[in-house]
Amino acid sequence: MARDESAANERRATPLLARRVPLWMLVLVFNVSLILIVAVAALARSAEKHGALGVAAAQIAEIPDTIGDWWKGAAPFSTPPYAKLPAGFRRNAARSFVDPGYALITPYDTQRGRATVQLIRLSDGRILKEWLPDVAAINARSRFHSAIVDLNRDKSVDRMRPMHPMLLANGDLLIHDNTPLSRIDGCGRPRWVIDGIFHHSLERAADGSLWIPYRLARSNVPGVGAKFADEALAQVDEKGRLIRVERLIDILDRNDLGGLWRGRPYEEDPFHLNDIEPVLTTGPYWQRGDVILSLRNMSLIALYRPSTGRILWTRAGPWSAQHDVSILDDHRIMVFDNHVRWGVAGRRVDGNSRLLIYDLATDKVSSPLAATFAVRGITTATQGRATPLPNGDVMVEETERGQLMRIAPDGSLRWRYVSADPSGRRLWLSWSRYLDPGDPGVRSAVEAATAREQCT
C-alpha cells in the first residue's frame, strides 16, 4: 500500500511531459497517424468526389505549401547563383544605337511590398507611367473556387504579379496572373473582370480579339486530383466578353493525339499551355486566324485551326520545356527554349537556355545566338520570353534572373534592364512587352501621366 502511494506521489510530482510512455502507446499513435496521413492523401487526391470531407482533406494537404510560402515571403527573389547588379536600365555606351520603342515591364517593389506595371522609354530608361492594380477590388468580383488557386491566399496584393500585361489604345491595361482577367484604368481600378483562371501569354489576333491560356477551376476528367490543370484556349474581346473556351483535351482527342498525355505517368500538370500565338497573315504553312500552341510539359508545339478544330502539325523538340513561340515570316518561327532536363535531380537547365529558329520549309532548326546565350549565361528554368524586332534584333527576358535585354544579330547587347532590390538581389520579371514608337496606348498613357490623373 505504501509502495502504491509512493508511486502515485511520484507521478504527481513528475511533470506531464517527462513521464514514461508505454511502448504499446507509441506504436498505436504511430499506426493511427500513418492511417490518417494515408487517408488524407487519398481524399485530397480526389477531393471533389468526397464532398466537405474531401475539401477539408485538400486544405490539410496544402498546409506544408502554405507554411513554405509564408516562410519564403511574397517578394519573388531569384535563386542564386547570379551576379548582383544595380537595378534599372542601362544602354551599352559602346554602341550609338538608341532604341525608339518602349517596354511594359512588371518589377516587384520591395519597399511597397507589391508588383507594379511600368511603361519605360527605351531611349533613356525613363519611367513614363506606373500602374498599381487594385488587386482587392479585382478579387472581390470573383466567384470561382478551385484547389488550383485561392485568390485571397495566393493572389493578394503582395503576391499578385501581373503577367504579360497588355496596353490598350486608351491607356488602360489588361492584366492577370492565374487569376481573373481584368481591364484596369490608369489608376488601377477595374473597369471589368472576366472570372476564371487566366495565365501566361495574352496576344491579339488579326480580327482584334485576344487569345489567352485558361484553366478550368475544376476538371471533370475521371480519376484526376483536385489540382489537375485542365487547360483550355480562351478567346475574349476588349469589352470583357468571353467569346469561347475550348478545352485542350477535347482538341487533342478530336485529332487522335490524346495518347500524348494519357499514355504517360499521371501528373497534375500534363500540358502547361503557356503561349497561344495568333497567325496574322496567310502563308504556305498556315492561314490567318490559326494559332500556334506551346505546351511546355510535352515540349510540344502545335499549329491549330480554330475554324475547323484541326491540328495541322506538331513537333516535339529539340526544344525542352519551351516558352514563347513567335512567327518570324511566312515559313519560320522562333522559340524561346528553356532547355530543361528532367531527372532524379529534379528539373534544371542543361547548360543555358536557347533561342531556336525552326524553318518549316526545310524542317531544320538553328540557334543563331547560341554563343551569346552561352557567354552571357542566359538561364531560366521556367518562364522566359523572346520578342523579334523589325531590324533583326530580339528582346530577351531572362525571367528567373530578372533581366531584360535587347540583343543585336551579331550577339552584342544594345541595352539591359535589371529587376533588383537596392542591395542587388535579383527579382523575377513577369513577361515584358515591347511597344513600337507609334503605339496609341503609349501616347494615351503618357498624356494621362502628364496631366497627373486624379486617383482617389
Side-chain angles (χ1 to χ4, degrees):
M1 179 69 103
R3 190 182 307 145
D4 292 343
E5 185 176 345
S6 175
N9 290 335
E10 182 181 350
R11 282 196 299 271
R12 284 193 293 269
T14 303
L16 179 62
L17 295 179
R19 295 179 186 176
R20 289 191 291 268
V21 179
L23 179 61
W24 67 265
M25 188 175 293
L26 290 175
V27 173
L28 178 63
V29 170
F30 174 81
N31 287 328
V32 170
S33 300
L34 186 60
I35 291 171
L36 288 174
I37 291 171
V38 172
V40 168
L43 289 170
R45 183 177 176 83
S46 54
E48 295 182 4
K49 296 180 180 179
H50 302 286
L53 190 61
V55 172
Q59 292 173 343
I60 293 172
E62 290 174 359
I63 289 175
D65 290 337
T66 302
I67 294 174
D69 290 342
W70 174 82
W71 183 260
K72 287 189 303 182
F77 282 111
S78 302
T79 302
Y82 58 78
K84 286 190 174 183
L85 293 171
F89 176 89
R90 284 167 180 78
R91 285 180 52 211
N92 184 349
R95 300 184 69 96
S96 60
F97 177 82
V98 177
D99 197 323
Y102 303 82
L104 205 58
I105 59 174
T106 55
Y108 192 93
D109 189 323
T110 54
Q111 294 183 336
R112 286 185 283 191
R114 61 166 302 154
T116 69
V117 182
Q118 295 176 353
L119 175 67
I120 63 171
R121 186 169 60 198
L122 295 173
S123 60
D124 57 6
R126 181 183 173 188
I127 300 172
L128 302 179
K129 166 71 180 171
E130 183 179 58
W131 291 261
L132 300 175
D134 189 341
V135 176
I138 294 169
N139 290 349
R141 298 195 187 189
S142 175
R143 295 292 179 269
F144 83 85
H145 298 280
S146 176
I148 296 173
V149 61
D150 181 304
L151 295 180
N152 293 324
R153 181 195 64 204
D154 305 326
K155 302 299 175 181
S156 52
V157 66
D158 58 331
R159 293 183 181 276
M160 194 274 189
R161 304 203 302 272
M163 190 172 192
H164 207 204
M166 177 177 284
L167 181 61
L168 302 181
N170 73 335
D172 288 355
L173 282 184
L174 296 180
I175 61 169
H176 67 282
D177 176 28
N178 282 288
T179 63
L181 177 67
S182 58
R183 177 172 177 162
I184 62 173
D185 64 15
C187 297
R189 299 170 297 212
R191 293 190 187 274
W192 53 251
V193 174
I194 304 177
D195 206 6
I197 305 174
F198 294 86
H199 60 94
H200 286 91
S201 68
L202 177 58
E203 301 286 3
R204 188 181 298 278
D207 63 1
S209 65
L210 308 166
W211 286 99
I212 179 171
Y214 179 85
R215 283 184 185 143
L216 278 64
R218 298 179 183 85
S219 175
N220 60 7
V221 175
V224 301
K227 290 189 175 183
F228 181 81
D230 202 336
E231 301 276 26
L233 285 62
Q235 189 178 21
V236 305
D237 66 17
E238 289 188 15
K239 295 181 179 179
R241 293 178 296 200
L242 187 60
I243 300 170
R244 78 159 80 183
V245 172
E246 190 172 10
R247 291 177 70 215
L248 186 58
I249 287 175
D250 295 336
I251 294 172
L252 293 175
D253 286 347
R254 185 191 312 131
N255 289 273
D256 297 324
L257 295 172
L260 291 177
W261 73 278
R262 297 182 194 274
R264 296 185 176 190
Y266 175 79
E267 62 173 286
E268 299 284 3
D269 188 11
F271 314 110
H272 203 91
L273 176 65
N274 56 33
D275 193 10
I276 304 174
E277 183 71 16
V279 175
L280 304 181
T281 58
T282 296
Y285 299 97
W286 42 61
Q287 291 181 7
R288 184 179 187 268
D290 293 349
V291 292
I292 300 178
L293 311 178
S294 170
L295 281 62
R296 184 195 74 174
N297 286 359
M298 291 182 171
S299 296
L300 183 76
I301 292 174
L303 176 64
Y304 177 58
R305 183 160 294 163
S307 61
T308 64
R310 306 309 302 175
I311 290 179
L312 305 180
W313 57 258
T314 63
R315 177 161 180 145
W319 40 78
S320 177
Q322 78 287 338
H323 286 74
D324 190 26
V325 181
S326 300
I327 298 173
L328 293 180
D329 49 37
D330 68 355
H331 64 285
R332 294 184 305 154
I333 61 174
M334 182 171 71
V335 180
F336 185 90
D337 175 25
N338 297 78
H339 204 209
V340 166
R341 296 291 179 263
W342 281 272
V344 293
R347 186 178 66 193
R348 61 180 58 187
V349 177
D350 186 5
N352 52 264
S353 300
R354 305 185 298 180
L355 192 65
L356 302 180
I357 308 297
Y358 174 49
D359 190 327
L360 278 75
T362 62
D363 194 33
K364 292 184 178 179
V365 178
S366 60
S367 184
L369 292 178
T372 299
F373 271 54
V375 169
R376 296 195 172 277
I378 297 174
T379 302
T380 182
T382 187
Q383 308 296 339
R385 295 278 297 171
T387 304
L389 301 176
N391 70 338
D393 289 3
V394 61
M395 186 177 79
V396 174
E397 180 183 296
E398 188 184 23
T399 303
E400 287 184 347
R401 292 185 176 178
Q403 283 199 100
L404 186 66
M405 299 160 276
R406 179 165 181 158
I407 302 174
D410 64 3
S412 60
L413 200 65
R414 305 278 199 188
W415 52 256
R416 175 169 62 182
Y417 173 86
V418 175
S419 173
D421 72 359
S423 70
R425 288 191 302 167
R426 307 271 194 92
L427 289 146
W428 285 43
L429 290 167
S430 294
W431 288 31
S432 308
R433 191 184 298 270
Y434 187 89
L435 301 172
D436 294 323
D439 191 293
V442 171
R443 183 174 61 251
S444 297
V446 171
E447 288 175 354
T450 303
R452 298 189 177 181
E453 55 200 333
Q454 296 300 311
C455 299
T456 57

